[in-house]
Amino acid sequence: NRSMIGIPEAFSPTYAVARRKFLEAVAAGGLEVESHTHPLAGRDGEVLAMDVALDGPRGADKLLMVSSACHGVEGYCGSGVQVFALHDAEWRAKARDAGVAVLYIHALNPYGFSHIRRATHENVDLNRNFHSFTGPLPDNAAYREVAPLLLPDVWPPNAANVQAVQAFIAERGESAWQAAITRGQHEFAQGLFYGGTAPTWSNQTLRQVLREHGTRARRLAWIDLHTGLGPSGLGERIYAGKDDAAAVKRARQWWGGGGATPVTSIYDGSSTSAFLTGLMWTAIYDECPQAEYTGIAMEYGTVPVTEVIQALRAEHWLNIHPEAPAELAAQIKAQMLAAFYTDTDAWKGQIISQARQSLFQAVDGLTGY
């Protein structure tokens, strides 16, 4: 039996349970945890933290990072992968025998995980927040155009708002609607996909983790676990690094499975993701410049993207309207969770099998030449 835990049992109904399972898995594996405590409390008053565990020697020249909950609510999926992997004796032996140290970063954005938000407590999309903040920030004129439509005064939106959104999509297309909203923007602080005007707590804490664990690695790989784009249960491997032909080629050799599990890219239009700004992986080049870096985001599909955006609109509206009736608030949070986490055994099985494959591929890639 390759794992000491069943697939459904690796996943959790709340952040607090997910954190407990992660800490228990770390302890059961004989590992130590470093907890970076968040300044705020969770939805149920629980402690929030970015928890980090290293499986393997400090200072290993080959390091694989596996991270969850960059976009808080997406941690319901990512945490399950991490908990299962920590209980997976065959996987741990594979990495250990190859001389690859594995760094698990649990809950990059614990606040969003706990509160069923995609954004951080600063209402920032963490994966749009990695700029130097010393010069001009990217301008998203397309978001400025759709901003009046996204967060109406009332929710659900009235007929006029629904018609205006439908007219935009009919004229420009669904991909233009997605791109305008998701690219990242720095103008509307209460809006969607807000990149912020300064580094968030999660940004600063992650950089600290990278400095502590990544500065001695010669080769460094990163699998960052996401949900919300693509067909249900399918794990799209999206290249996560600079627009560098050699690094893209390397990622495709490592994770492409000879064409069976293709690696897509935001640079050539092959990904379900739009072109984005302020991405988290840029921190690797800042903090670990000595390493040859190769990374992907594992992006698991849930529901159609229009439903995902609708759930995000509702949840951001709720964040601005805390006075909303409790029944509506609960309905919006349930819709938000369903947009990023499919609570069925079949979906969870797909998640684990593809994640496990990508982990093994990463070790082979790190040691393959």
Side-chain angles (χ1 to χ4, degrees), residues 72-350:
V73 65
E74 299 177 25
Y76 282 86
C77 170
S79 174
V81 169
Q82 292 173 310
V83 169
F84 189 88
L86 282 162
H87 284 293
D88 187 339
E90 186 185 348
W91 152 244
R92 292 186 66 200
K94 164 85 174 177
R96 184 172 59 247
D97 294 347
V100 173
V102 184
L103 185 71
Y104 296 93
I105 308 176
H106 186 266
L108 289 157
N109 169 14
Y111 180 89
F113 192 165
S114 176
H115 289 270
I116 314 182
R117 300 211 73 209
R118 192 172 176 280
T120 67
H121 70 281
E122 302 100 334
N123 194 51
V124 166
D125 180 329
L126 183 58
N127 213 23
R128 309 292 184 274
N129 182 240
F130 284 77
H131 299 278
S132 68
F133 295 106
T134 55
L137 291 165
D139 181 58
N140 186 346
Y143 187 93
R144 198 175 304 128
E145 186 180 354
V146 300
L149 302 178
L150 290 175
L151 299 170
D153 292 335
V154 295
W155 199 270
N158 62 27
N161 178 270
V162 171
Q163 286 165 2
V165 170
Q166 287 172 343
F168 182 97
I169 293 172
E171 183 185 339
R172 312 281 183 86
E174 203 176 286
S175 58
W177 174 246
Q178 177 188 343
I181 296 166
T182 64
R183 179 171 186 156
Q185 54 88 16
H186 299 269
E187 191 175 341
F188 300 87
Q190 289 188 309
L192 282 69
F193 297 84
Y194 176 58
T197 54
T200 58
W201 176 87
S202 289
N203 178 332
Q204 294 170 319
T205 305
L206 174 61
R207 288 179 185 276
Q208 183 184 336
V209 170
L210 292 175
R211 286 192 292 270
E212 286 174 12
H213 291 281
T215 51
R216 284 172 287 180
R218 203 160 44 88
R219 295 201 190 108
L220 199 159
W222 192 355
I223 300 173
D224 188 33
L225 299 156
H226 289 261
T227 61
L229 286 178
S232 175
L234 178 69
E236 180 187 351
R237 293 152 164 81
I238 306 175
Y239 169 71
K242 284 181 177 174
D243 190 4
D244 171 65
V248 174
K249 182 181 179 185
R250 197 163 57 241
R252 286 179 165 152
Q253 286 171 338
W254 291 15
W255 283 294
T261 53
V263 174
T264 65
S265 171
I266 63 172
Y267 301 115
D268 63 15
S270 58
S271 174
T272 57
S273 171
F275 183 83
L276 311 173
T277 60
L279 292 160
M280 185 170 66
W281 48 254
T282 59
I284 290 283
Y285 301 102
D286 297 337
E287 310 299 345
C288 311
Q290 84 295 336
E292 178 194 76
Y293 164 66
T294 319
I296 54 167
M298 273 292 273
E299 177 73 62
Y300 290 103
T302 49
V303 297
V305 69
T306 49
E307 292 181 35
V308 173
I309 289 174
Q310 193 71 355
L312 285 164
R313 290 175 67 200
E315 200 282 326
H316 276 265
W317 179 90
L318 181 62
N319 191 52
I320 301 168
H321 294 277
E323 77 287 352
E327 189 178 347
L328 177 61
Q331 181 188 326
I332 287 171
K333 287 294 186 182
Q335 179 187 7
M336 182 69 178
L337 184 57
F340 292 97
Y341 176 59
T342 304
D343 192 6
T344 66
D345 287 356
W347 189 83
K348 292 168 190 173
Q350 291 177 288

